[in-house]
Amino acid sequence: MKKIIPFILLALFAFTSKGFSQFDQPSFQLGVGLAMPLDQMKGDNYLSTATSNGFQVTQVDTVDFLRNNFGAKTGFNVFGKAKINFDKFNIVRGVGQIGFTSFNSFQQAQSGNYVINYAGQNFLLPASYNYNLNALNISLGLEIAPTSFTNVVSPYAGGYISFNNFSMELNRTENSYDTTRFKASGFRIGVNLDAGIEFKVNPQMGFALGFKYDFGNLLLKEKASANISERYDWGRTNGKLWDDGGNFYGNLGNQNGGLYSSQSKNMNWGTVYIALNFYPNAMNKTGSTKKK
């Protein structure tokens, strides 16, 4: 709460001080970044080797994956921001942004196998597994750029409320073409902190380098309740994330299924990014100056 108070005071100052509330310097930012999962969002692997029905198999992990972590690995992020100044010096800005992060982007499909039982006989079948975890978010907040009035170089820092939709998909492909899927998703509310430095190349364009930290699921976590109808199973595409712990039934990595206990999981990640800045009003102001 103490960290939020300065932003509130700055916003009030921006609206009440003389010469403020200009709203005449909009800018737009488009960027790409490298996203690194943290805390219980990251995991070593979603597959593990075990013995099943007398066979040595490599299949979906039932020890840590989805119980203690989400198995996410480094991925990429794309985003866009719209900014509007609250004062004539463009120091305090309101920001709206939309972004998409795809984790496990650089992790290739992995080979494994599993056991099935037909007519009382066990068969070991080869398979290819693929897993990805995505986050789509919309954020609203404030940004401070103390030296923006120089129109050359300026550091900036911001804080935002984020509305996140997470989705994960686990695929198992047999014979190179027959794919079975499991999907789960959930809406969460969090915050993200953003800091960087921006450079103006000319009055119309510039670029920025920055780092963003997302606390993705501070609110609306869901707790598993050991409901068999909400089990994790192949072919089911409306699963829940169960990021607040609890017990759930699952049949992704064990032929006979099981009841598993899981811990509460924080979905946090950091992003290093580079972005292009656009200042559409700069051309109009240049034209107006020339006419005068």
Side-chain angles (χ1 to χ4, degrees):
M1 187 64 185
K2 292 181 179 179
K3 294 182 179 179
I4 298 175
I5 291 175
F7 288 109
I8 297 175
L9 294 176
L10 283 169
L12 291 173
F13 181 73
F15 279 110
T16 57
S17 296
K18 185 178 180 180
F20 277 54
S21 301
Q22 300 293 308
F23 303 111
D24 61 349
Q25 299 181 56
S27 65
F28 300 93
Q29 189 177 77
L30 297 176
V32 296
L34 198 63
M36 297 155 287
L38 302 167
D39 301 319
Q40 294 80 35
M41 198 174 198
K42 67 179 180 179
D44 293 330
N45 207 337
Y46 60 91
L47 297 183
S48 64
T49 301
T51 300
S52 177
N53 295 317
F55 292 97
Q56 189 76 9
V57 298
T58 302
Q59 57 187 15
V60 176
D61 177 45
T62 58
V63 177
D64 289 316
F65 179 56
L66 301 182
R67 296 178 64 186
N68 300 323
N69 65 70
F70 283 106
K73 290 184 177 297
T74 302
F76 72 91
N77 168 259
V78 293
F79 67 90
K81 295 180 184 178
K83 307 181 183 183
I84 189 68
N85 60 306
F86 285 164
D87 65 273
K88 64 181 179 180
F89 300 109
N90 199 24
I91 293 175
V92 182
R93 309 159 176 171
V95 183
Q97 63 177 321
I98 182 170
F100 177 78
T101 304
S102 178
F103 298 97
N104 304 80
S105 306
F106 310 107
Q107 185 179 33
Q108 297 180 344
Q110 300 185 61
S111 297
N113 45 58
Y114 67 103
V115 177
I116 62 171
N117 184 287
Y118 272 90
Q121 184 176 355
N122 291 326
F123 296 89
L124 183 66
L125 298 179
S128 176
Y129 292 89
N130 197 14
Y131 171 69
N132 61 73
L133 176 64
N134 300 322
L136 175 66
N137 60 3
I138 296 175
S139 305
L140 299 171
L142 288 175
E143 181 177 279
I144 310 298
T147 61
S148 178
F149 60 90
T150 64
N151 289 319
V152 181
V153 178
S154 178
Y156 62 87
Y160 314 91
I161 297 175
S162 60
F163 305 92
N164 308 303
N165 187 70
F166 295 99
S167 61
M168 64 178 180
E169 180 175 324
L170 180 63
N171 296 335
R172 184 185 70 196
T173 303
E174 303 173 39
N175 305 318
S176 301
Y177 57 82
D178 188 8
T179 299
T180 304
R181 295 180 174 85
F182 167 73
K183 295 182 181 181
S185 61
F187 175 77
R188 305 289 184 266
I189 296 176
V191 299
N192 61 62
L193 305 176
D194 190 7
I197 186 167
E198 57 187 14
F199 308 84
K200 271 196 174 181
V201 178
N202 58 50
Q204 292 81 41
M205 290 188 63
F207 68 95
L209 300 173
F211 177 79
K212 184 164 66 77
Y213 193 104
D214 281 86
F215 300 88
N217 63 336
L218 295 180
L219 298 177
L220 304 183
K221 283 184 177 182
E222 291 182 279
K223 190 178 186 70
S225 58
N227 188 337
I228 189 66
S229 66
E230 296 178 322
R231 66 191 180 277
Y232 282 5
D233 204 350
W234 294 107
R236 300 179 68 90
T237 58
N238 291 299
K240 297 182 179 181
L241 297 176
W242 303 140
D243 50 342
D244 199 25
N247 299 320
F248 66 91
Y249 285 95
N251 191 27
L252 298 176
N254 187 325
Q255 180 187 3
N256 300 315
L259 177 63
Y260 302 103
S261 61
S262 63
Q263 70 172 19
S264 179
K265 296 177 282 293
N266 295 321
M267 304 182 76
N268 304 331
W269 70 98
T271 305
V272 178
Y273 65 84
I274 183 171
L276 290 177
N277 291 344
F278 303 93
Y279 308 96
N281 272 22
M283 186 68 72
N284 296 335
K285 290 182 179 180
T286 302
S288 299
T289 304
K290 288 182 178 178
K291 288 180 181 179
K292 291 181 181 179

